[in-house]
């Protein structure tokens, strides 16, 4: 019956091609997004280890929050001796900016090396970084709120003293600095003489050689940042699960399409079924013939759909890589388990949809079969 079903498909190429493409396009819609997501996952996995060392936030051990944390600036030298890298001491204070006849409280962050800090945080600057005394950068949200632009001067009032700072740039990072004023650490000490040689926190990167246990014994608290690769892996996993959850409605569409195709195959196969019934074939053999025809179409459509999915994923992924100028290119791919899962689910849903039309067509009595031959 399988051979007879195959010849029946070959003898009607137009209809068979239409049936195959209908299922194949649905399989493509399932497989292409998963392949693209896998490509991005592999690309990120290749990039992340080279870009993200383990990070730690160092604050005072007795502090309950950043607002009441104070550390000696000598800690910076200690961290360097303990094998830490990218050491960024910061002093966070509050001051008032004179805006006409009113005072607006702003948060000021003093940093020792703006260039390293901005590069590490991926901060964009419209203008220049602070490099001289009494120069400042203003976060984009704070700048909009106060109507500040590069080149403006702002007057700070703190503890009965006033200071005039020149705004040399506006920063944008989608981080807390967007609502802050950034100054050099020595200027932050000038604004707050009582906090000279003090910092609020120190950000640093550590490696296996860093002496973490000995540092914790020095009266500081280490707050470990969540490794970026771990956060990225979770994001990738959630994205993949989200994509795969959308395949369920598509499988239902496969079921509906297979049902309609099964009806059409049954209708198109009436003459062949009638001949089989008239020469003595049982209902079981007639059912086997129609199901074999449906199974062959579904198998061919699944393979074609996977191929189309991979080709379309390659095209879309390559186009996105060119648009965003991605230097590292990991081609999209399907894991063998994922490809097998798509094939199995497609077969199950398609067969479930084609079963009833095939069963109904096979139950025709011999008299009806004779009539269909001469119609």
């Amino acid at each position: 019956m399988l051979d007879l079903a195959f010849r029946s498909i070959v003898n009607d190429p137009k209809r068979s091609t239409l049936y195959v493409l209908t299922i194949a396009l649905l399989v493509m819609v399932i497989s292409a997004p998963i392949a693209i997501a896998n490509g991005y996952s592999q690309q990120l996995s290749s990039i992340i280890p080279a870009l993200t060392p383990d990070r730690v936030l160092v604050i005072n051990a007795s502090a309950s929050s950043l607002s009441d944390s104070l550390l000696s600036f000598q800690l910076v030298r200690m961290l360097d001796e303990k094998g830490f890298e990218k050491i960024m001491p910061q002093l966070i204070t509050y001051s008032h900016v004179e805006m006409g006849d009113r005072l607006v409280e702003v948060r000021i962050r003093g940093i020792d090396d703006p260039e390293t800090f901005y590069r590490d945080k991926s901060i964009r600057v419209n203008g220049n970084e602070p490099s001289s005394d009494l120069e400042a950068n203003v976060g984009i949200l704070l700048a909009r709120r106060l109507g500040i632009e590069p080149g403006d001067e702002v007057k700070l009032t703190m503890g009965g003293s006033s200071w005039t700072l020149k705004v040399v740039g506006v920063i944008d990072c989608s981080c807390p600095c967007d609502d802050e004023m950034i100054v050099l650490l020595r200027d932050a000490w000038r604004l707050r003489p009582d906090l000279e040689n003090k910092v609020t926190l120190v950000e640093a990167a550590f490696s296996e050689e860093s002496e973490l246990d000995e540092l914790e014994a020095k009266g500081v608290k280490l707050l470990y940042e969540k490794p970026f690769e771990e956060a990225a892996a979770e994001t990738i996993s959630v994205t993949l699960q989200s994509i795969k959850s959308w395949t369920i409605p598509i499988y239902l569409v496969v079921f509906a399409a297979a049902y309609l195709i099964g009806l059409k195959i049954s209708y198109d196969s009436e003459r062949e079924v009638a001949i089989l019934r008239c020469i003595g074939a049982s209902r079981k053999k007639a059912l086997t013939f129609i199901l074999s025809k449906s199974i062959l179409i579904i198998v061919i459509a699944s393979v074609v759909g996977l191929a189309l999915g991979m080709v379309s994923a390659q095209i879309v992924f390559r186009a996105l890589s060119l648009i965003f100028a991605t230097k590292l290119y990991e081609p999209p791919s399907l894991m063998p388990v994922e490809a097998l899962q798509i094939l199995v689910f497609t077969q199950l849903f398609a067969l479930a949809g084609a079963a009833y039309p095939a069963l109904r067509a096979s139950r025709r009595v011999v008299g009806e079969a004779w009539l269909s031959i001469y119609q």
Side-chain angles (χ1 to χ4, degrees), residues 40 43-56 120 122 206 224-236:
Y40 276 116
Q43 189 163 302
L44 286 174
S45 299
S46 300
I47 296 174
I48 288 168
L51 297 181
T52 55
D54 291 325
R55 302 298 302 272
V56 66
D120 186 76
S122 299
F206 66 90
Y224 295 92
E225 293 184 6
K226 192 173 189 178
F228 183 71
E229 57 266 32
E230 181 181 335
E234 290 182 3
T235 302
I236 292 169

Side-chain angles (χ1 to χ4, degrees), residues 188-203:
W189 288 335
R190 183 180 285 112
L191 296 172
R192 288 291 303 269
D194 57 318
L195 298 180
E196 188 171 357
N197 292 321
K198 300 288 185 181
V199 293
T200 305
L201 59 94
V202 180
E203 287 186 66

Side-chain angles (χ1 to χ4, degrees), residues 20-235:
V20 167
L21 287 178
T22 301
I23 301 296
L25 290 176
L26 294 173
V27 175
M28 181 191 74
V29 173
I30 295 172
S31 59
I34 296 176
I36 292 174
N38 286 341
Y40 276 116
S41 174
Q42 294 171 10
Q43 189 163 302
L44 286 174
S45 299
S46 300
I47 296 174
I48 288 168
L51 297 181
T52 55
D54 291 325
R55 302 298 302 272
V56 66
L57 202 66
V58 185
I59 64 173
N60 194 301
S62 61
S64 58
S65 64
L66 290 180
S67 60
D68 56 358
S69 172
L70 278 180
L71 298 166
S72 171
F73 187 70
Q74 296 300 320
L75 178 65
V76 174
R77 180 180 298 175
M78 184 189 302
L79 290 173
D80 186 50
E81 293 173 352
K82 301 300 181 185
F84 286 79
E85 300 174 347
K86 293 186 178 180
I87 303 169
M88 296 180 289
Q90 302 164 47
L91 176 62
I92 300 175
T93 61
Y94 289 84
S95 179
H96 290 90
V97 174
E98 293 187 9
M99 299 297 298
D101 57 350
R102 63 191 180 99
L103 296 177
V104 178
E105 187 179 60
V106 297
R107 186 167 61 246
I108 298 175
R109 187 184 297 261
I111 55 179
D112 190 43
D113 185 355
E115 183 179 356
T116 301
F117 183 80
Y118 286 7
R119 184 171 59 249
D120 186 76
K121 302 293 184 184
S122 299
I123 295 177
R124 299 169 295 278
V125 184
N126 177 20
N128 300 312
E129 300 168 359
S131 57
S132 302
D133 292 345
L134 299 179
E135 289 185 347
N137 283 161
V138 179
I140 188 170
L141 297 180
L142 182 61
R144 289 174 179 172
R145 182 154 55 94
L146 302 182
I148 298 174
E149 295 181 355
D152 290 349
E153 292 185 345
V154 293
K155 188 175 182 180
L156 297 183
T157 301
M158 184 180 295
S161 301
S162 297
W163 303 88
T164 300
L165 274 63
K166 182 178 180 180
V167 178
V168 294
V170 174
I171 61 174
D172 180 8
C173 64
S174 300
C175 67
C177 294
D178 283 346
D179 199 33
E180 296 177 345
M181 184 175 291
I182 306 295
V183 299
L184 294 174
L185 185 57
R186 62 176 181 265
D187 279 339
W189 288 335
R190 183 180 285 112
L191 296 172
R192 288 291 303 269
D194 57 318
L195 298 180
E196 188 171 357
N197 292 321
K198 300 288 185 181
V199 293
T200 305
L201 59 94
V202 180
E203 287 186 66
F206 66 90
S207 62
E208 295 179 358
E209 292 76 22
S210 302
E211 301 174 17
L212 299 177
D213 294 337
E214 185 177 344
L215 184 62
E216 289 178 332
K218 298 292 184 180
V220 300
K221 184 188 300 183
L222 303 182
L223 304 178
Y224 295 92
E225 293 184 6
K226 192 173 189 178
F228 183 71
E229 57 266 32
E230 181 181 335
E234 290 182 3
T235 302

